[in-house]
Amino acid sequence: MTASATRPRRTRWSRQLTPPLRAFLHTESVSAGILVAAIVAALAWANLGNASYEAVWHTELSVRFGNVGEALDLRTWLNSGLMTLFFLVVGLEARREADLGELRDRRRFLLPLVAGVSGMALPVAIYLAANAGGAGAHGWGVAMSTDTALALGLFAVVGRGLPSQLRAFLLTVFVVDDLVALVVIVAAYSQGISVLPLVVAAAAFAAFIGLLLLRIDLPVLYVLLGAAMWAALLRSGVDPVVSGLGIGLLAWAYPPTRRDLERATGVFRLFREQPMAELARTVSTSVAATLSPNDRLQRVFHPLASCVIVPLFVLANAGIQLHGNVLAHAFTAPVTLGILIGYVVGKPVGVAGATWLISWLTGGRIRPAVGWAAILGSGTIAGVGFTVSLLIATLAFSGTLLVEAKLGVLSATVVSSLLTWTVFRIVGLLPRERRTAALLGDADHIADLAVHVDVNRDHVRGSPDAVVTVVEYGDFECPYCGQAEPAMREALQRTDVRFVWRHLPLSDVHPHAQLAAEAAEAAAAQGAFWPMHDLLLARRDRLRMTDLLDYADELGLDRARFADDLNHHVHWARIAQDIESADLSGVAGTPTFFVDGQRHYGVYDPGELVEAIRSAHERAVMMASQTSAG
């Protein structure tokens, strides 16, 4: 099994989750460029040919099955139809954060909840103050919601090189923002509620939950129930995008288990022996079943929503004519100013102020996982409100007021992006220790490593008192573990870090991995674990018994004792303990790294791993400095 430059640097069948967060951010950084292009295209189209722009989006499209169907214009199909899939992705991400992310510690939900709600309430208050008694007062919902896709995409540009903890904090705040915004759409901007269709929608949703609980795997049923729920909500007067959110929240997330992956490997072996169409379908089903429903839906709908649906929505809704009279009037209009000031001032003050208040009221027991500069930057980038703001604007306004609202949203997006760049530019000029404190803070992080390092049991390379500990679950026959070794050596030389190896032999794909792990332990019994470790990784394609005995001779070990240990599997229990600890930590493939107890997600990349170690080292040094100063 050889590595390929074009394949992810992981044991290929193990998910080793390019974690939802990293995959999410990568998709958003790509989609941000598409979204900006859609904004420019919409403005150009509306100003060069406004008649054709409006004519296209008012084109009626009818979908009928016999006497049942809907006839809506293209803009409505986008706003209430395809945008349902956007909110499906929002629901999926909220559920993922609750199951796997920072919010799996329910105590950590309070702070992003309050920060998210406050970051919406203050802009709304500013907007209402600017529009008190005016014609635009009922459009207060336009001034509250952050565009998660665009904000994270722009953050990938202006916040390049910043710690992943900041991105995680941003995402948790934005998820709260999206959920509250959708509640507002349903509660404040739904008209003429009809009870019977609402009951039908509730029944379809209940049936959907029932199928999930019974673990019935018939996608066509879920699609039909989802379509029925959407259509019933449309008839009820409630914006049907809520159906996407509800379905997304039902899709639980979990990492694939080693047992499921081994079962999929076994099925593939049958196919390898008998390559038939029926077995091919079984292999495909078995591999897909190792992934959670959340992950499977994310992989399908997240790129579609971010790179196709949201840009189409923007193209259909962002077009406004920008001539002098319109601009002069709009930037003195209460609607435009209320939105602009609400986002640019209200968002950062609301997010940062609520975060500070919660920390103060709890005496620091509840505090953000990042530093205060990062909190301020989170507040400024939260001022990028676009997709949901435009959606609410189309529900609340028409005519001149709609144009004013769109200009306010566009202006706030530009100004908030510049403010975010300025904040992180200033932070980047600070001395290293102050910059680390400003970005990372001093809050305890959630530990992903279930079994802590024990220097009396674990194999430790480097100083036992190092400030950073890196644990690798590895397999001596895994090609990517061998590729990881130089990066770990470099990290050991450049930073104060200790390295711990734990065994995870993937015997279903690497037939010699278990024996190699036992050889390493047999060498450890003679005080030569690390020399044998290095030799096995360097010669991972030669791990038969005769090879291992030759390596024992090469290292000057007692050959007879070494061979006896292997023949009688003396160290099998020791390796089994490492495997059990891997299962407890949710590790299914190799190499998997934990940096100071936190799992380093994603396909293996030496640069990213070294950067994670460097960031952990800076934070540990900062924490030690604060402790000694105190």
Side-chain angles (χ1 to χ4, degrees), residues 194-224:
S194 179
V195 176
L196 182 58
L198 202 58
V199 171
V200 172
F205 189 60
F208 200 102
I209 295 174
L211 291 179
L212 285 175
L213 293 176
L214 294 173
R215 297 187 178 275
I216 296 175
D217 191 15
L218 290 174
V220 66
L221 288 180
Y222 294 104
V223 172
L224 290 174

mmCIF file of all heavy atoms in Angstrom, residues 194-224:
data_model
loop_
_atom_site.group_PDB
_atom_site.id
_atom_site.type_symbol
_atom_site.label_atom_id
_atom_site.label_comp_id
_atom_site.label_asym_id
_atom_site.label_seq_id
_atom_site.Cartn_x
_atom_site.Cartn_y
_atom_site.Cartn_z
ATOM 1 N N SER A 194 -52.787 29.393 8.651
ATOM 2 C CA SER A 194 -53.891 28.446 8.465
ATOM 3 C C SER A 194 -53.587 27.191 9.272
ATOM 4 O O SER A 194 -52.519 26.585 9.116
ATOM 5 C CB SER A 194 -54.038 28.108 6.977
ATOM 6 O OG SER A 194 -55.076 27.191 6.779
ATOM 7 N N VAL A 195 -54.526 26.795 10.113
ATOM 8 C CA VAL A 195 -54.260 25.743 11.091
ATOM 9 C C VAL A 195 -54.139 24.360 10.454
ATOM 10 O O VAL A 195 -53.217 23.592 10.771
ATOM 11 C CB VAL A 195 -55.363 25.723 12.175
ATOM 12 C CG1 VAL A 195 -55.143 24.550 13.138
ATOM 13 C CG2 VAL A 195 -55.361 27.042 12.936
ATOM 14 N N LEU A 196 -55.047 24.012 9.531
ATOM 15 C CA LEU A 196 -55.054 22.650 8.983
ATOM 16 C C LEU A 196 -53.736 22.279 8.284
ATOM 17 O O LEU A 196 -53.167 21.223 8.567
ATOM 18 C CB LEU A 196 -56.240 22.467 8.034
ATOM 19 C CG LEU A 196 -56.378 21.063 7.425
ATOM 20 C CD1 LEU A 196 -56.514 20.014 8.533
ATOM 21 C CD2 LEU A 196 -57.576 20.999 6.475
ATOM 22 N N PRO A 197 -53.219 23.118 7.381
ATOM 23 C CA PRO A 197 -51.921 22.779 6.784
ATOM 24 C C PRO A 197 -50.796 22.684 7.825
ATOM 25 O O PRO A 197 -49.875 21.874 7.676
ATOM 26 C CB PRO A 197 -51.666 23.933 5.810
ATOM 27 C CG PRO A 197 -53.003 24.477 5.496
ATOM 28 C CD PRO A 197 -53.792 24.316 6.758
ATOM 29 N N LEU A 198 -50.904 23.502 8.882
ATOM 30 C CA LEU A 198 -49.886 23.444 9.935
ATOM 31 C C LEU A 198 -49.932 22.095 10.649
ATOM 32 O O LEU A 198 -48.885 21.518 10.990
ATOM 33 C CB LEU A 198 -50.130 24.586 10.933
ATOM 34 C CG LEU A 198 -48.935 25.029 11.785
ATOM 35 C CD1 LEU A 198 -47.783 25.480 10.908
ATOM 36 C CD2 LEU A 198 -49.367 26.163 12.716
ATOM 37 N N VAL A 199 -51.135 21.564 10.852
ATOM 38 C CA VAL A 199 -51.289 20.242 11.460
ATOM 39 C C VAL A 199 -50.704 19.164 10.552
ATOM 40 O O VAL A 199 -50.039 18.232 11.007
ATOM 41 C CB VAL A 199 -52.775 19.954 11.762
ATOM 42 C CG1 VAL A 199 -52.962 18.499 12.192
ATOM 43 C CG2 VAL A 199 -53.296 20.901 12.835
ATOM 44 N N VAL A 200 -50.935 19.293 9.247
ATOM 45 C CA VAL A 200 -50.375 18.336 8.284
ATOM 46 C C VAL A 200 -48.851 18.372 8.335
ATOM 47 O O VAL A 200 -48.190 17.324 8.318
ATOM 48 C CB VAL A 200 -50.883 18.648 6.861
ATOM 49 C CG1 VAL A 200 -50.160 17.775 5.833
ATOM 50 C CG2 VAL A 200 -52.386 18.438 6.778
ATOM 51 N N ALA A 201 -48.285 19.558 8.400
ATOM 52 C CA ALA A 201 -46.827 19.689 8.479
ATOM 53 C C ALA A 201 -46.293 19.044 9.751
ATOM 54 O O ALA A 201 -45.262 18.352 9.727
ATOM 55 C CB ALA A 201 -46.428 21.165 8.430
ATOM 56 N N ALA A 202 -46.983 19.256 10.866
ATOM 57 C CA ALA A 202 -46.561 18.649 12.127
ATOM 58 C C ALA A 202 -46.632 17.130 12.055
ATOM 59 O O ALA A 202 -45.750 16.424 12.568
ATOM 60 C CB ALA A 202 -47.427 19.172 13.271
ATOM 61 N N ALA A 203 -47.671 16.616 11.398
ATOM 62 C CA ALA A 203 -47.805 15.162 11.252
ATOM 63 C C ALA A 203 -46.681 14.589 10.396
ATOM 64 O O ALA A 203 -46.128 13.517 10.697
ATOM 65 C CB ALA A 203 -49.165 14.827 10.642
ATOM 66 N N ALA A 204 -46.335 15.282 9.314
ATOM 67 C CA ALA A 204 -45.228 14.825 8.462
ATOM 68 C C ALA A 204 -43.916 14.835 9.233
ATOM 69 O O ALA A 204 -43.093 13.920 9.105
ATOM 70 C CB ALA A 204 -45.127 15.719 7.221
ATOM 71 N N PHE A 205 -43.731 15.867 10.062
ATOM 72 C CA PHE A 205 -42.509 15.950 10.863
ATOM 73 C C PHE A 205 -42.463 14.820 11.889
ATOM 74 O O PHE A 205 -41.409 14.206 12.109
ATOM 75 C CB PHE A 205 -42.452 17.307 11.561
ATOM 76 C CG PHE A 205 -41.142 17.589 12.240
ATOM 77 C CD1 PHE A 205 -39.952 17.618 11.522
ATOM 78 C CD2 PHE A 205 -41.095 17.841 13.610
ATOM 79 C CE1 PHE A 205 -38.750 17.886 12.145
ATOM 80 C CE2 PHE A 205 -39.892 18.112 14.240
ATOM 81 C CZ PHE A 205 -38.717 18.137 13.508
ATOM 82 N N ALA A 206 -43.595 14.514 12.497
ATOM 83 C CA ALA A 206 -43.662 13.415 13.468
ATOM 84 C C ALA A 206 -43.352 12.083 12.785
ATOM 85 O O ALA A 206 -42.645 11.232 13.344
ATOM 86 C CB ALA A 206 -45.045 13.373 14.122
ATOM 87 N N ALA A 207 -43.869 11.893 11.569
ATOM 88 C CA ALA A 207 -43.579 10.662 10.826
ATOM 89 C C ALA A 207 -42.088 10.581 10.496
ATOM 90 O O ALA A 207 -41.489 9.492 10.531
ATOM 91 C CB ALA A 207 -44.408 10.624 9.549
ATOM 92 N N PHE A 208 -41.513 11.712 10.183
ATOM 93 C CA PHE A 208 -40.072 11.777 9.897
ATOM 94 C C PHE A 208 -39.276 11.307 11.117
ATOM 95 O O PHE A 208 -38.346 10.491 11.001
ATOM 96 C CB PHE A 208 -39.701 13.221 9.536
ATOM 97 C CG PHE A 208 -38.426 13.371 8.777
ATOM 98 C CD1 PHE A 208 -38.441 13.590 7.415
ATOM 99 C CD2 PHE A 208 -37.198 13.315 9.416
ATOM 100 C CE1 PHE A 208 -37.270 13.740 6.696
ATOM 101 C CE2 PHE A 208 -36.021 13.455 8.721
ATOM 102 C CZ PHE A 208 -36.047 13.675 7.341
ATOM 103 N N ILE A 209 -39.646 11.808 12.296
ATOM 104 C CA ILE A 209 -38.969 11.405 13.535
ATOM 105 C C ILE A 209 -39.158 9.913 13.779
ATOM 106 O O ILE A 209 -38.223 9.210 14.178
ATOM 107 C CB ILE A 209 -39.516 12.225 14.724
ATOM 108 C CG1 ILE A 209 -39.174 13.709 14.561
ATOM 109 C CG2 ILE A 209 -38.954 11.694 16.045
ATOM 110 C CD1 ILE A 209 -39.792 14.600 15.603
ATOM 111 N N GLY A 210 -40.375 9.412 13.522
ATOM 112 C CA GLY A 210 -40.641 7.990 13.718
ATOM 113 C C GLY A 210 -39.757 7.108 12.862
ATOM 114 O O GLY A 210 -39.221 6.097 13.331
ATOM 115 N N LEU A 211 -39.584 7.473 11.591
ATOM 116 C CA LEU A 211 -38.706 6.699 10.705
ATOM 117 C C LEU A 211 -37.276 6.688 11.218
ATOM 118 O O LEU A 211 -36.579 5.667 11.159
ATOM 119 C CB LEU A 211 -38.745 7.278 9.290
ATOM 120 C CG LEU A 211 -40.051 7.113 8.505
ATOM 121 C CD1 LEU A 211 -39.937 7.758 7.136
ATOM 122 C CD2 LEU A 211 -40.410 5.638 8.359
ATOM 123 N N LEU A 212 -36.821 7.835 11.733
ATOM 124 C CA LEU A 212 -35.462 7.912 12.274
ATOM 125 C C LEU A 212 -35.303 7.015 13.494
ATOM 126 O O LEU A 212 -34.305 6.299 13.632
ATOM 127 C CB LEU A 212 -35.117 9.354 12.642
ATOM 128 C CG LEU A 212 -34.817 10.310 11.487
ATOM 129 C CD1 LEU A 212 -34.615 11.728 12.022
ATOM 130 C CD2 LEU A 212 -33.572 9.864 10.726
ATOM 131 N N LEU A 213 -36.286 7.058 14.388
ATOM 132 C CA LEU A 213 -36.199 6.246 15.607
ATOM 133 C C LEU A 213 -36.227 4.756 15.289
ATOM 134 O O LEU A 213 -35.580 3.953 15.967
ATOM 135 C CB LEU A 213 -37.348 6.604 16.552
ATOM 136 C CG LEU A 213 -37.304 8.016 17.151
ATOM 137 C CD1 LEU A 213 -38.544 8.283 17.990
ATOM 138 C CD2 LEU A 213 -36.041 8.199 18.002
ATOM 139 N N LEU A 214 -36.967 4.393 14.247
ATOM 140 C CA LEU A 214 -37.038 2.991 13.839
ATOM 141 C C LEU A 214 -35.855 2.591 12.958
ATOM 142 O O LEU A 214 -35.744 1.432 12.556
ATOM 143 C CB LEU A 214 -38.344 2.730 13.083
ATOM 144 C CG LEU A 214 -39.634 2.864 13.909
ATOM 145 C CD1 LEU A 214 -40.856 2.763 13.005
ATOM 146 C CD2 LEU A 214 -39.680 1.797 15.002
ATOM 147 N N ARG A 215 -34.987 3.581 12.648
ATOM 148 C CA ARG A 215 -33.795 3.367 11.816
ATOM 149 C C ARG A 215 -34.150 2.738 10.469
ATOM 150 O O ARG A 215 -33.495 1.819 9.980
ATOM 151 C CB ARG A 215 -32.763 2.505 12.557
ATOM 152 C CG ARG A 215 -32.236 3.167 13.812
ATOM 153 C CD ARG A 215 -31.101 2.383 14.435
ATOM 154 N NE ARG A 215 -30.579 3.062 15.609
ATOM 155 C CZ ARG A 215 -29.659 4.012 15.600
ATOM 156 N NH1 ARG A 215 -29.153 4.408 14.454
ATOM 157 N NH2 ARG A 215 -29.227 4.554 16.720
ATOM 158 N N ILE A 216 -35.213 3.244 9.877
ATOM 159 C CA ILE A 216 -35.624 2.796 8.542
ATOM 160 C C ILE A 216 -34.818 3.568 7.504
ATOM 161 O O ILE A 216 -34.909 4.798 7.430
ATOM 162 C CB ILE A 216 -37.140 3.014 8.333
ATOM 163 C CG1 ILE A 216 -37.916 2.131 9.319
ATOM 164 C CG2 ILE A 216 -37.534 2.702 6.892
ATOM 165 C CD1 ILE A 216 -39.412 2.358 9.283
ATOM 166 N N ASP A 217 -34.024 2.864 6.719
ATOM 167 C CA ASP A 217 -33.103 3.504 5.777
ATOM 168 C C ASP A 217 -33.675 3.471 4.359
ATOM 169 O O ASP A 217 -33.227 2.721 3.507
ATOM 170 C CB ASP A 217 -31.741 2.809 5.828
ATOM 171 C CG ASP A 217 -30.673 3.588 5.074
ATOM 172 O OD1 ASP A 217 -30.930 4.765 4.774
ATOM 173 O OD2 ASP A 217 -29.603 3.019 4.780
ATOM 174 N N LEU A 218 -34.705 4.296 4.142
ATOM 175 C CA LEU A 218 -35.316 4.427 2.822
ATOM 176 C C LEU A 218 -35.344 5.912 2.470
ATOM 177 O O LEU A 218 -36.295 6.637 2.808
ATOM 178 C CB LEU A 218 -36.737 3.854 2.824
ATOM 179 C CG LEU A 218 -36.859 2.329 2.956
ATOM 180 C CD1 LEU A 218 -38.314 1.924 3.089
ATOM 181 C CD2 LEU A 218 -36.224 1.642 1.743
ATOM 182 N N PRO A 219 -34.303 6.413 1.819
ATOM 183 C CA PRO A 219 -34.199 7.849 1.556
ATOM 184 C C PRO A 219 -35.419 8.444 0.857
ATOM 185 O O PRO A 219 -35.795 9.585 1.128
ATOM 186 C CB PRO A 219 -32.956 7.937 0.657
ATOM 187 C CG PRO A 219 -32.135 6.740 1.025
ATOM 188 C CD PRO A 219 -33.129 5.672 1.339
ATOM 189 N N VAL A 220 -36.063 7.660 -0.014
ATOM 190 C CA VAL A 220 -37.199 8.204 -0.742
ATOM 191 C C VAL A 220 -38.333 8.600 0.198
ATOM 192 O O VAL A 220 -39.038 9.604 -0.034
ATOM 193 C CB VAL A 220 -37.696 7.183 -1.804
ATOM 194 C CG1 VAL A 220 -38.273 5.935 -1.147
ATOM 195 C CG2 VAL A 220 -38.725 7.836 -2.724
ATOM 196 N N LEU A 221 -38.509 7.845 1.297
ATOM 197 C CA LEU A 221 -39.553 8.199 2.266
ATOM 198 C C LEU A 221 -39.242 9.525 2.948
ATOM 199 O O LEU A 221 -40.140 10.354 3.161
ATOM 200 C CB LEU A 221 -39.697 7.089 3.312
ATOM 201 C CG LEU A 221 -40.339 5.782 2.843
ATOM 202 C CD1 LEU A 221 -40.405 4.782 3.994
ATOM 203 C CD2 LEU A 221 -41.740 6.040 2.294
ATOM 204 N N TYR A 222 -37.982 9.719 3.305
ATOM 205 C CA TYR A 222 -37.584 10.969 3.951
ATOM 206 C C TYR A 222 -37.779 12.158 3.003
ATOM 207 O O TYR A 222 -38.221 13.241 3.414
ATOM 208 C CB TYR A 222 -36.133 10.890 4.409
ATOM 209 C CG TYR A 222 -35.903 9.878 5.517
ATOM 210 C CD1 TYR A 222 -35.308 8.661 5.262
ATOM 211 C CD2 TYR A 222 -36.279 10.172 6.820
ATOM 212 C CE1 TYR A 222 -35.097 7.729 6.277
ATOM 213 C CE2 TYR A 222 -36.077 9.256 7.848
ATOM 214 C CZ TYR A 222 -35.486 8.027 7.557
ATOM 215 O OH TYR A 222 -35.290 7.123 8.563
ATOM 216 N N VAL A 223 -37.443 11.959 1.734
ATOM 217 C CA VAL A 223 -37.611 13.028 0.746
ATOM 218 C C VAL A 223 -39.094 13.376 0.589
ATOM 219 O O VAL A 223 -39.473 14.560 0.576
ATOM 220 C CB VAL A 223 -37.012 12.611 -0.610
ATOM 221 C CG1 VAL A 223 -37.374 13.637 -1.686
ATOM 222 C CG2 VAL A 223 -35.500 12.471 -0.505
ATOM 223 N N LEU A 224 -39.947 12.361 0.492
ATOM 224 C CA LEU A 224 -41.381 12.600 0.334
ATOM 225 C C LEU A 224 -41.971 13.310 1.551
ATOM 226 O O LEU A 224 -42.783 14.243 1.416
ATOM 227 C CB LEU A 224 -42.110 11.279 0.084
ATOM 228 C CG LEU A 224 -41.845 10.616 -1.277
ATOM 229 C CD1 LEU A 224 -42.511 9.252 -1.338
ATOM 230 C CD2 LEU A 224 -42.348 11.507 -2.411
#
